[in-house]
Amino acid sequence: MTETLPIDSLMIDRWTSQWMKQLGFNNEQLLKRNHKVEQFSRILLERIEKKKQTDIAQREQLLIETLREYEHRLSRTGFDNDISEDFETMKLRQKELLIEKKHQELDVKEEQFIKELDQLSQTERCLCQILTEAEMEIVPDETLVKRIQRLQDYLTILENLKNDRMTTLKSYRTRLNDLCTQLDYKLDDQSVVTQLVDEKYESCLATDSLRQIESLLNELDVKYEEQGKHVHRLIETLERLYSKLTKDDASPPKRSAAYILRHNTAETVTQLEQEIADLQAKRMATSKVYCENLRKKIEDLYDRCQLGASERHAIDYENLTPDTLDECDREYDRLDGLYRIRQPIIDAYEQWRLLVQQHAEFLKKSTSAARFHERGYSAVKEQAERKRFAIALPKAERTCLNTLEQWEKDHLDEQFLINDVPLRQILDQQHNGTSNTTTTTTTTAAAAALAPSKITKTVSTSSISSMAVPQRTVSKANARKKSLRNLVNKQTVESHVTQSHHEEADEDTLEFTQLENIKHINGLPRIVTSTPKTGKHNLHQTEHTVVDMGRIKTNDPIQKHRPSKRVIPTRR
């Protein structure tokens, strides 16, 4: 059963009247026609409904695609999704209108952001070109918003770098102007530094330009320091010239303003050099006398410092120039300071050398038999002198060595020279030479003592009593016999000394023969000889040989205490 279409009665009446009146249809024809119209209308309605469903499905599909495209554009650009939650409850037409509107807004917004990105990119290229920095790297699949944000951050960094360089360039300009003024430095007209001086900072922001400016500033700083040192040397030269002229002339020169202010500028250097030239010209008027006096002082210091040819500076005293006078002054100052340093060592060395000479003379005199014939000879004094040398010589040598070692600590890899000969070499040679001389002298004395051993009497009894009791004047023959007995007695003593075994002394001391004090028993003198020092562990192990100067007796204590029955002769 077909469904009756809901037709309006007014419409049916119109159709009926139209068909019946105008076309001349009857009722039966009209019913047939109505049936056909109803069928046709129903078919048409179905077509319309089907088309409507198809259109709605297509629109929904298109809406979904449009929505996906909108979301893709949002993900590509990085904008926020501003579609509300009521979108699902809206009608299809409303959804289509909303999506279309959002697409239009997104087009406008994306266009604005693209323009902003172009402007930022242009600014970036400009700053990178000015600052000679690399452009920001492009990250694949980066959103428009993220790229713009990262580019803005990078531009902020470039702007800060530009501001820092601008501040640095301004400070460089001030510093450069000061250095150019103080050094009287002329700049190249086509250089970057000239643009900096002209305050064209934009053209100086490049990295290469900054390097050129910094290089020039470092060069000027070095020149400024050298000029400062040069000013200091000029001031010292002026002070030396002022002091020299003040001593030589009753009217000392007046100090200049440049000397008083001592500014480190090119103008000050010119004034100081001119003043030095004037003072040197004034000084050259009396240069010959001054140079001759200074020459004597220098030669005197050479002798006092005991400097050899290798440590002396050759000065041409014939061709007198300001440089010659300055060289003389420098040499005198050097020697004056050198003498203060060398004086303690030289004093210790001179004291040691004097003792060595005195000891050599003493050895020569003490080994000579002629000393027994000299008036005022005393064995006690000779023994005391020998003991003095045995103590004083090692002490003086050690003092000299200690002072030399302290000097060598302060002057590494240097030798202290005495007339071009190392002082330590002199001390070592003298030390070894003294040891060998002591051994040779002892052997010679022993050989000389063996020659007169055939004499029957060694010591006479009258010689002992004559030491305590004055005697009458004897004849020349008796005096010769007496001196002969004394000589034989002395040689006998030396022969006993040579029989003792000598051992090597310590490294810090020289070997010298030591004699103890003469001991007296009942008025009879005896000489106790000792061997040289035998080392650190055998200082107290010495052997003594007792020789009585008088009658030949045994060492009997009873006989030593017996008084002499000899009649003392009286003077007539």
Side-chain angles (χ1 to χ4, degrees):
M1 183 175 180
T2 60
E3 184 181 356
T4 305
L5 293 174
I7 301 174
D8 191 5
S9 60
L10 180 61
M11 184 180 296
I12 293 174
D13 291 341
R14 288 179 182 178
W15 285 359
T16 301
S17 62
Q18 184 178 0
W19 284 96
M20 292 179 69
K21 292 178 178 180
Q22 293 182 3
L23 299 176
F25 291 154
N26 55 21
N27 189 17
E28 200 176 319
Q29 290 177 343
L30 181 62
L31 290 174
K32 290 181 180 179
R33 178 62 62 184
N34 287 339
H35 181 67
K36 290 182 179 180
V37 169
E38 183 180 358
Q39 288 180 353
F40 180 76
S41 298
R42 195 175 296 279
I43 293 171
L44 183 62
L45 180 61
E46 289 178 357
R47 290 178 180 176
I48 291 173
E49 287 180 354
K50 187 176 181 180
K51 185 178 180 181
K52 181 180 179 182
Q53 293 294 331
T54 305
D55 292 341
I56 290 174
Q58 291 179 356
R59 288 173 61 187
E60 288 179 353
Q61 183 66 29
L62 183 61
L63 180 63
I64 292 173
E65 293 178 357
T66 307
L67 185 60
R68 288 178 180 175
E69 183 181 357
Y70 179 73
E71 291 176 352
H72 177 69
R73 290 182 65 184
L74 289 178
S75 63
R76 181 172 54 82
T77 56
F79 298 142
D80 297 332
N81 190 356
D82 55 351
I83 297 177
S84 63
E85 298 178 355
D86 299 337
F87 179 76
E88 297 295 335
T89 60
M90 292 181 181
K91 295 180 179 180
L92 181 60
R93 184 58 181 169
Q94 292 177 349
K95 290 181 179 180
E96 291 177 349
L97 293 175
L98 181 60
I99 292 299
E100 186 177 0
K101 181 181 178 182
K102 293 297 181 182
H103 271 285
Q104 292 176 359
E105 292 177 356
L106 186 59
D107 291 337
V108 175
K109 193 174 181 180
E110 185 176 4
E111 185 178 359
Q112 292 177 355
F113 271 72
I114 290 175
K115 288 182 180 180
E116 184 179 0
L117 180 62
D118 292 338
Q119 292 177 357
L120 292 175
S121 300
Q122 187 177 0
T123 307
E124 179 200 11
R125 286 192 295 271
C126 182
L127 286 174
C128 291
Q129 185 177 3
I130 292 174
L131 301 174
T132 61
E133 296 291 334
E135 297 183 5
M136 187 183 68
E137 297 180 356
I138 298 176
V139 179
D141 299 335
E142 187 179 19
T143 62
L144 181 62
V145 176
K146 188 67 177 294
R147 177 170 174 76
I148 290 176
Q149 183 179 359
R150 198 160 63 89
L151 188 57
Q152 287 176 347
D153 296 338
Y154 188 63
L155 287 175
T156 303
I157 295 174
L158 293 178
E159 288 290 341
N160 293 332
L161 180 60
K162 180 181 177 182
N163 294 331
D164 293 340
R165 289 189 179 182
M166 289 287 288
T167 306
T168 304
L169 287 174
K170 290 179 181 179
S171 63
Y172 283 173
R173 180 179 178 275
T174 305
R175 183 176 164 194
L176 185 64
N177 289 331
D178 295 339
L179 289 174
C180 290
T181 303
Q182 292 173 350
L183 297 174
D184 195 14
Y185 185 80
K186 302 299 181 182
L187 298 174
D188 188 6
D189 295 336
Q190 298 180 355
S191 63
V192 181
V193 184
T194 307
Q195 298 177 0
L196 176 63
V197 174
D198 296 338
E199 299 184 1
K200 297 179 181 179
Y201 299 116
E202 293 291 338
S203 58
C204 303
L205 291 174
T207 306
D208 295 337
S209 301
L210 281 174
R211 289 176 181 173
Q212 293 179 9
I213 296 171
E214 290 174 353
S215 176
L216 180 61
L217 286 175
N218 292 332
E219 182 181 352
L220 294 179
D221 285 335
V222 173
K223 290 184 178 180
Y224 184 75
E225 292 179 0
E226 292 178 352
Q227 181 173 283
K229 294 179 181 179
H230 183 56
V231 170
H232 184 67
R233 290 193 295 268
L234 292 176
I235 294 297
E236 290 181 350
T237 304
L238 276 176
E239 290 177 352
R240 186 169 60 252
L241 287 173
Y242 285 143
S243 61
K244 299 297 182 182
L245 291 175
T246 302
K247 293 179 181 179
D248 298 341
D249 195 355
S251 58
K254 185 179 179 181
R255 269 62 170 173
S256 63
Y259 171 79
I260 297 173
L261 297 177
R262 302 184 181 185
H263 291 309
N264 187 8
T265 60
E267 183 180 1
T268 303
V269 171
T270 304
Q271 293 178 4
L272 292 176
E273 289 176 349
Q274 183 62 35
E275 186 176 3
I276 288 174
D278 296 340
L279 293 177
Q280 286 179 346
K282 183 177 180 181
R283 190 183 177 195
M284 286 299 294
T286 59
S287 60
K288 188 174 182 179
V289 178
Y290 175 79
C291 194
E292 188 64 29
N293 294 333
L294 202 59
R295 180 179 182 178
K296 294 179 180 179
K297 294 179 181 179
I298 290 174
E299 291 177 353
D300 180 60
L301 284 174
Y302 279 149
D303 296 337
R304 292 168 65 182
C305 293
Q306 298 191 19
L307 299 179
S310 62
E311 295 181 302
R312 300 189 181 191
H313 293 171
I315 301 175
D316 188 7
Y317 295 100
E318 301 298 331
N319 300 324
L320 297 181
T321 60
D323 294 336
T324 305
L325 296 179
D326 294 339
E327 189 176 359
C328 291
D329 293 336
R330 287 193 297 270
E331 182 66 8
Y332 178 76
D333 295 337
R334 182 184 76 90
L335 293 175
D336 190 29
L338 189 62
Y339 178 71
R340 294 192 186 96
I341 298 174
R342 294 171 64 96
Q343 184 178 5
I345 305 178
I346 291 176
D347 292 343
Y349 167 72
E350 289 295 334
Q351 185 178 3
W352 172 81
R353 190 172 65 85
L354 180 62
L355 283 174
V356 169
Q357 291 179 355
Q358 292 177 355
H359 181 255
E361 294 175 358
F362 172 75
L363 287 179
K364 182 179 180 180
K365 185 176 180 181
S366 63
T367 55
S368 176
R371 71 184 188 281
F372 298 110
H373 302 286
E374 294 180 359
R375 185 173 183 144
Y377 167 76
S378 175
V380 177
K381 292 182 179 180
E382 182 179 331
Q383 185 180 3
E385 193 73 8
R386 184 176 287 106
K387 289 181 66 177
R388 183 179 74 86
F389 284 121
I391 296 173
L393 265 174
K395 183 178 179 181
E397 183 182 4
R398 175 46 52 192
T399 302
C400 188
L401 284 173
N402 291 337
T403 312
L404 180 61
E405 288 175 358
Q406 184 62 36
W407 183 88
E408 289 176 347
K409 289 180 181 179
D410 299 335
H411 304 77
L412 299 176
D413 300 332
E414 292 187 23
Q415 289 184 340
F416 191 91
L417 303 180
I418 298 292
N419 295 322
D420 291 340
V421 181
L423 177 58
R424 188 174 290 277
Q425 179 181 349
I426 296 174
L427 295 175
D428 293 341
Q429 289 178 355
Q430 182 63 34
H431 182 85
N432 298 331
T434 305
S435 301
N436 297 333
T437 304
T438 305
T439 306
T440 305
T441 305
T442 307
T443 306
T444 306
L450 294 175
S453 59
K454 296 181 180 181
I455 301 178
T456 56
K457 290 186 178 182
T458 304
V459 181
S460 62
T461 307
S462 61
S463 62
I464 300 175
S465 60
S466 63
M467 295 175 65
V469 182
Q471 300 290 331
R472 290 193 298 267
T473 305
V474 295
S475 61
K476 294 182 179 181
N478 293 332
R480 293 192 190 97
K481 292 179 181 180
K482 189 174 182 180
S483 62
L484 182 60
R485 287 196 300 269
N486 291 336
L487 176 61
V488 171
N489 184 25
K490 183 63 178 178
Q491 292 176 350
T492 304
V493 173
E494 292 178 353
S495 66
H496 284 285
V497 173
T498 56
Q499 293 177 2
S500 60
H501 298 283
H502 298 278
E503 297 181 2
E504 293 182 359
D506 297 335
E507 294 180 359
D508 297 338
T509 58
L510 296 174
E511 294 183 359
F512 300 100
T513 304
Q514 298 183 357
L515 297 178
E516 297 183 356
N517 294 331
I518 297 178
K519 300 179 181 180
H520 298 270
I521 298 177
N522 291 335
L524 298 178
R526 65 176 181 176
I527 298 177
V528 182
T529 62
S530 64
T531 58
K533 292 182 180 181
T534 58
K536 296 182 179 179
H537 301 288
N538 299 323
L539 291 175
H540 301 288
Q541 298 178 4
T542 57
E543 297 180 0
H544 301 277
T545 302
V546 181
V547 180
D548 290 334
M549 302 296 295
R551 296 185 301 273
I552 301 176
K553 298 180 180 179
T554 60
N555 292 329
D556 187 3
I558 299 177
Q559 293 182 359
K560 288 180 181 179
H561 289 284
R562 293 176 181 176
S564 178
K565 296 181 181 181
R566 181 175 171 279
V567 179
I568 300 175
T570 58
R571 187 186 298 273
R572 296 181 180 179

